[in-house]
Amino acid sequence: MRFLVRDRLLGIGDDYWIEDRHGTKVYLVDGKAMRLRDTFELKDTEGRVLIDIHKKMFAVRDTMVIERDGAPLATIRRKRLSLLRNHYRVTLVDGTELDVSGKILDREFAVEYDGELLAQISRRWLHLRETYGVDVVREDTDPALLIAVTICVIHLAEKERTDT
């Protein structure tokens, strides 16, 4: 499953559609402005909230939290002891850990579980300017969760770049 994301609108308060590879709108990312913390909602085409994404308020390191139906689903933070600056760890509520690594600011990175590729994020396959693809490799994974993870790590990497 491949999804297309228009990169130019990845700010708080901005809304943008994520399309499938045929150009059909699949998810709406609703950036919530005027909030104390960075907040996004991932909605379906009917406007139902599938996933809430927000920055954890009182964390030592920047941390994003993904929730579904008000219940925590995952937390995302930069990996502490990584030689790679663009390496993030996703911890699901069941204790499962996903690794996200690569050139996040260049939109060339992967999401893996225990060495197995779950999703590849890349601009290489696309000829559209300011667009990147999220290619969900495994059929048994939750595409909305992987898209939410993508949104989070890009947001954290962009924030880190502007803070330094």
Side-chain angles (χ1 to χ4, degrees):
M1 294 176 280
R2 186 171 289 172
F3 301 93
L4 305 177
V5 182
R6 307 274 183 242
D7 199 23
R8 60 184 168 77
L9 298 175
L10 206 53
I12 301 297
D14 291 327
D15 299 346
Y16 57 95
W17 284 97
I18 296 174
E19 302 169 350
D20 66 14
R21 67 171 152 191
H22 305 292
T24 304
K25 293 176 180 175
V26 180
Y27 301 109
L28 174 67
V29 178
D30 186 357
K32 298 296 183 181
M34 307 301 290
R35 300 278 175 101
L36 289 175
R37 59 186 176 188
D38 301 347
T39 304
F40 303 92
E41 290 178 341
L42 187 64
K43 298 179 177 180
D44 65 12
T45 55
E46 305 285 317
R48 291 182 296 257
V49 176
L50 302 174
I51 292 183
D52 289 300
I53 305 166
H54 61 268
K55 185 175 178 188
K56 194 170 184 176
M57 288 293 282
F58 303 108
V60 175
R61 292 179 294 160
D62 279 348
T63 302
M64 300 289 289
V65 177
I66 298 173
E67 295 179 346
R68 180 175 279 145
D69 299 325
L73 189 58
T75 58
I76 300 165
R77 63 178 53 97
R78 190 165 56 88
K79 200 169 180 181
R80 182 178 292 168
L81 299 174
S82 174
L83 297 174
L84 298 172
R85 184 176 165 110
N86 288 312
H87 196 146
Y88 292 82
R89 171 153 296 140
V90 179
T91 305
L92 302 177
V93 291
D94 68 1
T96 302
E97 291 187 344
L98 308 179
D99 284 314
V100 181
S101 61
K103 297 177 180 177
I104 300 202
L105 295 175
D106 293 337
R107 309 308 188 253
E108 296 292 336
F109 60 96
V111 180
E112 297 179 336
Y113 167 68
D114 202 24
E116 184 180 351
L117 184 65
L118 299 179
Q120 183 75 41
I121 292 75
S122 181
R123 283 191 170 142
R124 281 180 281 161
W125 328 299
L126 305 170
H127 301 291
L128 300 171
R129 208 173 134 194
E130 304 294 331
T131 302
Y132 63 91
V134 177
D135 192 13
V136 177
V137 178
R138 280 188 42 176
E139 294 291 326
D140 63 340
T141 57
D142 180 355
L145 174 61
L146 292 175
I147 288 170
V149 166
T150 301
I151 292 166
C152 289
V153 296
I154 290 172
H155 181 72
L156 287 170
E158 291 282 345
K159 194 158 187 63
E160 183 179 317
R161 180 180 67 177
T162 58
D163 289 347
T164 57

